[in-house]
Amino acid sequence: QRYLIDSSVLPDYTNIATLRDYIDGRFAADERSTVMALPKGAGARKRGADTLPSASAPIVHVLIPSGVGDAPAAQPLIRSWAYSWENMHDGLDGVAIDIPALDLPATHDGPDGKVIPLNIRIKDPIWPARDMIDVSVSVKPGQARTLWLDLRDRILTADSLWLSIASAAPGFNATSLDGAEVRLVFKDRKEAIKEHVADRFNQVRDNWGFLVEEHTTSKRQRLYARVYADLSDLLRVDPDHALGRLYWNYISYNSQGKPPFTAPQPPKGVPAWAFNQLEDLKHVRRFVDWWIDERQVAYGDFGGGISDDSDLTQQWPGLALMGVQPDKLNASLTALSDAVYRNGMFSHGLSTIETDELHAYEEGINTNSAMLYLNWGDPLTVERLMETVKAFDERIILPNPQGHLLFSSNWYGGNKVYREPNWQWQKPYSFPALHPAFLVGEYNADPTGRKLVTGLADSYLAHAYTDDKGRWALPNEIHWATGKTRGGELNQGSGSGDVMHLFWAAWRWSGDDRYL
């Protein structure tokens, strides 16, 4: 398909309106020179001088409409003719651009004399913020050249196409590209599908990695809108893509039912529950093997940032205690734990950085806690946990003016504790960091650890109330200095499940049924 750039044409087709809005919102006023590339014979209207920047920067946005049937309201229609890639069966192989002879000064030295640098980007039609290709070339003044851009193959949607061309040469503007021809070269669909499907699935995996913890489904959040667009485009072209379907099932909260699955059958005489548990552990073993063998380095980390790596290895102890490669998992966990200290992430028993109540746990308190499960009684591990318990007892978990033992801060570290009123809210996510107190309280009946656990439990119960439906309830958040509560009842907050360990441990140590 062939398209000619003409700067005198008003870019008013409605199927490029979204791209124009994006350009207007993304670029400064002098960087918004926009032209259309149309097939010969397409209807068009002349533009006025006020539709281009009066003093333009050397960048031009070339918009190619996906079809010629989108004339704006009150303008002549296209009749008895069509030209588009809408519903095209074949796939885009690449783009050829006939760059006209540029009557501009050369600005840089090339191997054969002075040249004009050009940067050319072709945007992804379903996500304009992403380039399908970004290439820089140079041409000599007055010399026409043809540039072939071999893209990754795409089965195009009905979205229009956007190319941007920028230059270092003064005077480069919309008229510099007049007469340039853009040719879209297509190939057989069966061949094009291979790269399209591979790329879209990789984009889904990569982009969902930014959202897997938050698991939002709001398209107002652009990260989700992007992964939604990628996954929708994958399933448009390959609706039976097995992993794509599994991703969509997970992302959409199983709202459409699970994809078909045939479960392996247990051998005769083997209980299904035992067989399925072992099958599950085989998959888990494959998972941990990959992370340890392919991602963990000699320093101990996995590449996701040591704090987030520690979240990953919280899964290791339970698996090891179930018999999944205990020595290998313990060595992996030990290496990461050592990396935490080697990286200077602990100060005085708490995280070196000041951070929120949950991430205070994820800076290594969690790793030390995990270590004890696989190294019960190890002197170094016990010492590290006791240091954290001491820090909580002396600096973080304190009696308030009403005599209740509460977390006194939700933003703290080993070098500084924020104590302004705004940071004095005890939250459900405060309690994971209590993990060392649970462990040393169990390991050697450490009185300080047990005091913190039972004291927090007693103080939480002291703030229980009857809600408007007559039900007994615990509050979501409690303010250390005032004892005031906010956020409704406990289950209306994030992390409520982490509080239950508090009452379970207090009951185990005391036998007092009121904790249940």
Side-chain angles (χ1 to χ4, degrees), residues 249-501:
N249 172 260
Y250 173 63
I251 291 171
S252 62
Y253 285 93
N254 192 32
S255 59
Q256 301 168 2
K258 294 181 179 179
F261 172 70
T262 302
Q265 296 301 306
K268 186 177 180 179
V270 176
W273 66 265
F275 173 78
N276 289 331
Q277 184 181 73
L278 291 177
E279 289 297 303
D280 186 44
L281 288 178
K282 288 178 185 177
H283 290 294
V284 176
R285 175 172 179 160
R286 178 185 171 206
F287 169 79
V288 298
D289 275 348
W290 186 88
W291 277 99
I292 295 173
D293 296 342
E294 303 296 332
R295 293 297 298 269
Q296 192 167 23
V297 298
Y299 192 82
D301 62 311
F302 294 83
I306 291 177
S307 56
D308 281 347
D309 290 345
S310 71
D311 288 352
L312 173 69
T313 57
Q314 286 174 200
Q315 302 173 74
W316 278 203
L319 295 171
L321 294 173
M322 292 178 73
V324 178
Q325 306 184 101
D327 292 339
K328 182 173 184 177
L329 290 175
N330 193 22
S332 170
L333 179 60
T334 301
L336 181 63
S337 177
D338 290 343
V340 169
Y341 282 87
R342 193 182 303 120
N343 205 45
M345 295 170 62
F346 261 95
S347 294
H348 314 297
L350 301 172
S351 62
T352 297
I353 65 169
E354 293 88 44
T355 186
D356 64 89
E357 71 283 354
L358 176 59
H359 289 92
Y361 174 62
E362 297 171 350
E363 286 289 307
I365 292 176
N366 55 346
T367 310
N368 287 343
S369 302
M371 283 287 292
L372 192 63
Y373 290 106
L374 301 185
N375 302 274
W376 197 249
D378 172 64
L380 178 59
T381 300
V382 172
E383 178 184 351
R384 288 173 170 176
L385 293 173
M386 293 186 72
E387 184 183 24
T388 297
V389 170
K390 182 175 185 290
F392 275 123
D393 181 52
E394 295 178 353
R395 305 180 64 198
I396 307 299
I397 302 172
L398 305 173
N400 74 352
Q402 293 80 41
H404 294 135
L405 194 66
L406 301 171
F407 281 87
S408 63
S409 175
N410 57 39
W411 197 277
Y412 59 86
N415 297 311
K416 183 176 181 180
V417 179
Y418 285 78
R419 301 195 183 279
E420 292 82 2
N422 189 52
W423 306 113
Q424 290 184 324
W425 288 96
Q426 173 180 285
K427 302 182 179 184
Y429 270 145
S430 299
F431 288 88
L434 197 62
H435 201 168
F438 293 133
L439 289 172
V440 297
E442 182 68 21
Y443 169 69
N444 62 358
D446 174 69
T448 303
R450 292 196 171 196
K451 178 192 73 173
L452 295 179
V453 171
T454 56
L456 285 167
D458 290 340
S459 297
Y460 220 135
L461 292 176
H463 288 83
Y465 66 99
T466 302
D467 68 11
D468 55 5
K469 295 181 180 179
R471 299 174 301 185
W472 184 89
L474 291 170
N476 183 10
E477 299 182 13
I478 306 173
H479 193 261
W480 180 83
T482 65
K484 292 181 179 179
T485 63
R486 70 178 184 185
E489 59 104 358
L490 177 61
N491 288 325
Q492 293 176 312
S494 297
S496 59
D498 294 316
V499 181
M500 297 303 103
H501 304 291

